[in-house]
Amino acid sequence: MLAPWSLPYCFTILLGLLKLCRAQYEQLGYPHGYPQGYPEPEQEQYTAPELPPDTPRIQLRLAGDKRKHNEGRVEVFYDGEWGTVCDDDFSIHSAQVVCRELGYLEAVSWSPSSKYGKGEGRIWFDNVQCTGKEKTLALCMSNGIGVSDCKHTEDVGVVCSDKRIPGFKFINTMANNVESLNIQVEDVRIRAILSSYRKRIPVTEGYVEVKDGGKWKQICDAEWTKHNSRVICGMFGFPGERKYNARVYKMFARRRKPNYWDYSVNCTGNEAHLSSCKLGHAVAAKANSTCGGGTPVVVSCVPGRAFSPTPMTGFRKAFRQEQPLVRLRGGAIVGEGRVEVLKNGEWGTICDDNWSLLSATVVCRELGFGSAKEALSGGRLGQGMGPVHMNEVKCSGFEKSVTECFFNKESLGCSHEEDAAVTCNVPAMGFQERLRLSGGRNPYEGRVEALVEGNGSLVWGTVCSDGWGTMEAMVVCRQLGLGFASNAFQETWYWPGEVSADPVVMSGVRCSGTEMSLSQCLHHGAHVTCPKGGGRNAAGVSCSETAPDLVLNPQVVEQTTYMEDRPMFMLQCAYEENCLSTTSSKTPANSYRRLLRFSSQIHNNGQSDFRPKAGRHSWVWHDCHRHYHSMEVFTHYDLLSLNGTKVAEGHKASFCLEDTDCEEGIEKRYECANFGEQGITVGCWDTYRHDIDCQWIDITDIKPGDYIFQVFINPNYEVPESDYSNNLMKCRCRYDGHRIWMYSCHNGGSLSTETEESFPGLLNNQVTHR
């Protein structure tokens, strides 16, 4: 029997499923971290507030140095003038009133002391005290409108939720100065009108419609500009706009009577969101609803290369870059990551001083995405390595590359703790509706079930777990917007899932880890082959919002390299653990092996601790060395000839993963003594000293010459990381028969492609073992 409280939840799920068909038009982003398909609390419908006659008529907006469109300095329009609110006595309840008055569902936080910059003009409210239930900020207790002893250094700011109030309707209380107000509507969409665009994903062309008062309305094109189109396209993940066939849309508008919104739109073109644009003039719709001879606004957007519809190859050509100067690293989803720029052949980061939504939008558009959803600071998406190339970046919003923006070339002292990052708007491709996790204890885990075509209809089924690993799990978590993979499972008997979805519909899945959806990975297609079958043997995943990121310090390797001749009788334990070359088995006990020795300092620059996959109960005890291995292969060491042929190799088991040292202010958490927990804390590093067993390559049989030395951390991808490209480190190595030294050591992906290609061996570490 269903519990009484479950009925509204079931109803909510049904509503959510009905909304899926509109997913390609809707803005991306999960409310409160819940993926689609999971029930949300029922939300109240908006009703226009009825205010007492003596209530001061005010309008609000969020201004200043924003890093999201739904945050900023609180500004109040009253008596023909914009002013601010003082932070004295301000609380989350006051922020709640502000956000709801602006049409957002709730307040997330608030900030004192002019976090978003100092405002100008009057300080309209001081000592504001709200209960959170007031219909307008003007009804909260305060010193009285215009009565304040504050300075603009005390201007308050708020962060509102992404979600808008269902049914919200903009109500203008100002008789004049409408053009100074920001646009406030419930939602925005691009609705495909022509049949050639209705089935195309992503939707790139159609009417621009705003949802006001729960109804979708068109916008009159009488005062529409290219700048407005640019903002709309950016919101929906497209870097630019193009011309369209206006004649066809005029014919359509004559046949169907439009329902126009009351206002026009006035954007400058560099806004990241429509809510940052100003209202235009009020539209005086005629009796025949032609808005002064105009027609509904149409936009036609140009998608970035990764999202271009395959038949339209012209799109791909338009956005192909010869030499990318900017990239994103460490992000969990497409269009998210730490911003890195290429300068003098070396990749480096951007300091977050003055980092804004405007500068972040330039980065996003440059990379083929839309405008920025958020400008992130403080190394939020992991810390980079190498130099910090730019600081105090200031863009106009129209630059083709962030490298063209102004920045302070003299400013020094930024550390990687201040690395800037972005989250970009990307087109709604509908990927999330073609995959689901079933049977898990929470939305972030479960058996993987895919929606595929079968016998003329769409059916849900499982994925064969043969060869299923971390890379495939990473793609699943990315496709569902659930972050990074934390585990890949080849058995899911403890997650029953839907019985009707037990049959296998995908097999032979092999991913590089960079794909946007599981269907883009290699797989058997319609010829499904899976000896183990589905059901309890189907593939599963668990996802996490954060992941570690291990990076080897190349300078330490370069500085600690030396050569040692060691007698064979002192290498018995190393021999048992296969740390010597195969010829050592024929070596007498009184002979010597020549070892290339070095230290490894491995940093965790990610967002979560690096922990071995195996629990302590399954660690392997090695009696000779008298220690446990939590990972049998933690690193590979290889020596390559200049043509890329492997001439010598070594490997290192995780004798002990612990925090050797940490950055200032971070405490060590992992210590191997007394069978302690193993791992590497974020901001800490583990040092394997040169004098530890197996911390070498056996070069006894190597002839003098020039070589490439490379180290590969976590080579089997046993533990998921946010970025595997930097797990590889390469050096040039010279051996003259008596001495050996390293130079030009660097991490994978830290140099330009041209420089990297001069080093043979692995250019990156994408799935070489399969």
Side-chain angles (χ1 to χ4, degrees):
M1 178 178 174
L2 286 173
W5 51 263
S6 68
L7 293 175
Y9 272 61
C10 295
F11 180 67
T12 308
I13 293 174
L14 290 173
L15 285 178
L17 291 172
L18 290 172
K19 291 177 182 176
L20 291 181
C21 62
R22 297 207 315 261
Q24 58 179 311
Y25 309 115
E26 306 284 343
Q27 287 178 264
L28 295 176
Y30 289 142
H32 308 292
Y34 285 91
Q36 287 170 318
Y38 277 83
E40 300 171 43
E42 275 195 44
Q43 287 149 4
E44 61 192 275
Q45 288 293 314
Y46 178 81
T47 53
E50 296 182 7
L51 304 178
D54 58 345
T55 305
R57 294 302 190 259
I58 63 171
Q59 297 278 177
L60 302 180
R61 71 181 181 190
L62 302 180
D65 303 325
K66 301 181 177 187
R67 293 187 173 176
K68 291 190 287 189
H69 73 269
N70 49 313
E71 69 174 0
R73 180 177 61 246
V74 180
E75 293 196 347
V76 180
F77 189 78
Y78 177 74
D79 197 23
E81 182 182 354
W82 283 102
T84 62
V85 177
C86 182
D87 59 17
D88 291 350
D89 290 339
F90 202 86
S91 68
I92 191 65
H93 302 301
S94 304
Q96 180 83 353
V97 174
V98 168
C99 290
R100 290 189 63 82
E101 190 168 356
L102 288 168
Y104 296 103
L105 198 60
E106 62 184 354
V108 176
S109 63
W110 66 279
S111 303
S113 306
S114 62
K115 176 186 175 181
Y116 298 99
K118 293 188 287 186
E120 296 178 346
R122 302 278 297 275
I123 296 177
W124 285 122
F125 289 102
D126 187 7
N127 295 110
V128 177
Q129 298 179 47
C130 304
T131 65
K133 296 181 179 180
E134 293 85 354
K135 299 295 184 183
T136 172
L137 192 67
L139 289 176
C140 296
M141 289 180 59
S142 70
N143 292 349
I145 195 160
V147 180
S148 172
D149 59 358
C150 291
K151 298 179 180 178
H152 282 297
T153 53
E154 300 171 85
D155 287 342
V156 79
V158 299
V159 179
C160 302
S161 66
D162 288 324
K163 285 208 82 174
R164 305 285 295 179
I165 298 173
F168 176 81
K169 182 174 177 59
F170 171 72
I171 299 172
N172 175 32
T173 61
M174 299 291 149
N176 302 305
N177 297 301
V178 172
E179 294 84 351
S180 69
L181 301 178
N182 287 81
I183 294 171
Q184 300 167 22
V185 291
E186 182 185 343
D187 206 353
V188 187
R189 72 179 181 185
I190 300 174
R191 181 164 69 93
I193 299 299
L194 305 183
S195 58
S196 58
Y197 283 94
R198 285 178 189 166
K199 293 183 179 180
R200 185 174 295 172
I201 296 176
V203 173
T204 58
E205 183 174 306
Y207 280 174
V208 177
E209 297 185 335
V210 296
K211 198 173 188 181
D212 190 41
K215 296 180 180 179
W216 287 106
K217 300 178 181 180
Q218 293 82 45
I219 301 174
C220 177
D221 71 352
E223 297 183 12
W224 192 261
T225 67
K226 286 184 178 180
H227 290 322
N228 298 344
S229 296
R230 188 172 191 264
V231 173
I232 294 294
C233 288
M235 281 177 60
F236 288 93
F238 305 114
E241 74 288 342
R242 63 171 187 168
K243 293 182 179 179
Y244 59 91
N245 187 346
R247 186 182 303 174
V248 178
Y249 287 98
K250 285 182 180 178
M251 292 173 58
F252 186 87
R254 289 194 201 105
R255 293 202 304 266
R256 292 199 177 183
K257 183 180 176 181
N259 179 22
Y260 287 110
W261 191 41
D262 297 337
Y263 300 92
S264 57
V265 174
N266 182 16
C267 303
T268 63
N270 60 10
E271 294 90 350
H273 195 273
L274 189 66
S275 64
S276 298
C277 297
K278 304 297 182 190
L279 281 172
H281 296 105
V283 176
K286 296 185 177 180
N288 59 3
S289 296
T290 56
C291 76
T295 58
V297 164
V298 175
V299 296
S300 184
C301 305
V302 182
R305 182 173 59 178
F307 306 98
S308 300
T310 46
M312 309 186 76
T313 53
F315 284 8
R316 293 179 178 273
K317 186 176 180 182
F319 283 92
R320 183 169 292 119
Q321 292 179 318
E322 293 294 324
Q323 172 65 64
L325 298 176
V326 179
R327 69 184 185 188
L328 302 182
R329 284 288 185 269
I333 58 176
V334 177
E336 174 184 89
R338 180 178 62 253
V339 183
E340 297 187 352
V341 294
L342 185 65
K343 181 180 178 183
N344 299 327
E346 186 175 12
W347 288 98
T349 60
I350 295 179
C351 186
D352 63 9
D353 292 350
N354 298 341
W355 187 242
S356 67
L357 204 58
L358 202 59
S359 301
T361 291
V362 172
V363 170
C364 292
R365 289 186 187 274
E366 177 180 1
L367 292 172
F369 305 116
S371 52
K373 288 173 70 174
E374 189 170 4
L376 300 163
S377 58
R380 282 266 303 277
L381 295 184
Q383 297 182 22
M385 295 285 280
V388 178
H389 281 323
M390 301 176 74
N391 189 16
E392 297 180 12
V393 176
K394 189 173 184 180
C395 303
S396 69
F398 292 98
E399 294 87 353
K400 291 184 178 180
S401 171
V402 72
T403 58
E404 298 174 7
C405 298
F406 170 83
F407 67 99
N408 189 344
K409 299 177 182 179
E410 307 300 324
S411 181
L412 302 172
C414 259
S415 70
H416 286 297
E417 294 176 358
E418 301 170 86
D419 283 344
V422 298
T423 302
C424 305
N425 286 311
V426 298
M429 303 295 290
F431 290 145
Q432 291 169 344
E433 283 70 60
R434 303 188 74 87
L435 209 64
R436 70 187 182 190
L437 300 184
S438 184
R441 297 162 297 180
N442 58 62
Y444 292 87
E445 67 177 19
R447 184 176 78 177
V448 180
E449 296 178 357
L451 186 65
V452 300
E453 291 186 18
N455 298 323
S457 61
L458 292 173
V459 295
W460 286 100
T462 55
V463 178
C464 185
S465 62
D466 283 350
W468 186 260
T470 299
M471 290 303 184
E472 291 72 34
M474 280 286 190
V475 175
V476 168
C477 294
R478 178 182 300 118
Q479 182 173 347
L480 292 171
L482 298 177
F484 303 98
S486 56
N487 280 292
F489 300 97
Q490 294 190 352
E491 290 183 348
T492 50
W493 54 268
Y494 35 79
W495 292 330
E498 296 287 340
V499 176
S500 60
D502 277 353
V504 175
V505 295
M506 282 187 78
S507 63
V509 180
R510 295 291 182 275
C511 303
S512 69
T514 60
E515 296 88 351
M516 289 189 287
S517 73
L518 205 60
S519 61
Q520 294 176 350
C521 300
L522 291 172
H523 59 92
H524 291 158
H527 306 287
V528 175
T529 304
C530 189
K532 294 197 300 185
R536 62 185 292 169
N537 293 315
V541 301
S542 61
C543 305
S544 172
E545 293 180 350
T546 58
D549 181 21
L550 296 190
V551 184
L552 185 68
N553 187 326
Q555 284 74 37
V556 171
V557 173
E558 199 167 310
Q559 294 163 4
T560 58
T561 300
Y562 67 99
M563 194 173 66
E564 180 191 9
D565 290 335
R566 195 168 181 83
M568 190 64 194
F569 68 82
M570 296 180 65
L571 295 170
Q572 286 307 305
C573 284
Y575 175 74
E576 287 182 15
E577 294 190 14
N578 298 315
C579 294
L580 301 174
S581 66
T582 54
T583 59
S584 63
S585 61
K586 303 174 184 177
T587 303
N590 60 350
S591 63
Y592 286 78
R593 302 302 295 181
R594 178 157 288 184
L595 308 176
L596 166 59
R597 308 198 72 146
F598 53 91
S599 294
S600 293
Q601 189 182 93
I602 301 169
H603 294 245
N604 183 0
N605 287 352
Q607 304 166 70
S608 63
D609 296 352
F610 184 93
R611 300 294 308 279
K613 182 179 178 181
R616 282 195 291 184
H617 65 282
S618 60
W619 292 353
V620 179
W621 173 258
H622 284 258
D623 197 53
C624 191
H625 278 130
R626 309 295 297 173
H627 59 220
Y628 286 94
H629 287 184
S630 56
M631 293 174 68
E632 275 302 309
V633 181
F634 179 55
T635 49
H636 278 165
Y637 307 136
D638 297 313
L639 200 63
L640 313 173
S641 67
L642 294 185
N643 65 9
T645 305
K646 188 183 295 186
V647 295
E649 65 181 1
H651 79 275
K652 182 75 173 176
S654 59
F655 286 5
C656 170
L657 288 174
E658 68 177 359
D659 297 326
T660 306
D661 213 343
C662 299
E663 295 173 2
E664 187 177 352
I666 298 177
E667 292 186 7
K668 299 178 183 179
R669 297 183 60 186
Y670 302 105
E671 189 175 11
C672 295
N674 301 317
F675 196 41
E677 290 289 347
Q678 293 193 23
I680 307 176
T681 305
V682 175
C684 299
W685 55 90
D686 185 10
T687 301
Y688 279 91
R689 286 173 48 88
H690 53 81
D691 52 2
I692 296 175
D693 255 11
C694 296
Q695 189 63 32
W696 64 55
I697 292 181
D698 184 350
I699 60 170
T700 306
D701 307 315
I702 302 303
K703 297 178 181 178
D706 289 322
Y707 297 94
I708 300 296
F709 171 71
Q710 78 180 16
V711 178
F712 196 169
I713 309 169
N714 192 16
N716 297 333
Y717 313 104
E718 191 175 315
V719 178
E721 297 185 46
S722 61
D723 185 1
Y724 285 113
S725 66
N726 56 18
N727 283 35
L728 184 69
M729 188 225 64
K730 290 188 284 188
C731 304
R732 292 195 177 276
C733 175
R734 178 161 292 178
Y735 173 46
D736 64 5
H738 306 285
R739 296 169 300 168
I740 194 164
W741 59 95
M742 307 280 191
Y743 60 100
S744 299
C745 294
H746 65 281
N747 293 111
S750 64
L751 303 180
S752 66
T753 305
E754 184 180 0
T755 307
E756 195 70 63
E757 286 175 350
S758 67
F759 282 78
L762 294 172
L763 292 180
N764 58 55
N765 60 347
Q766 294 299 324
V767 195
T768 57
H769 62 289
R770 294 185 175 180

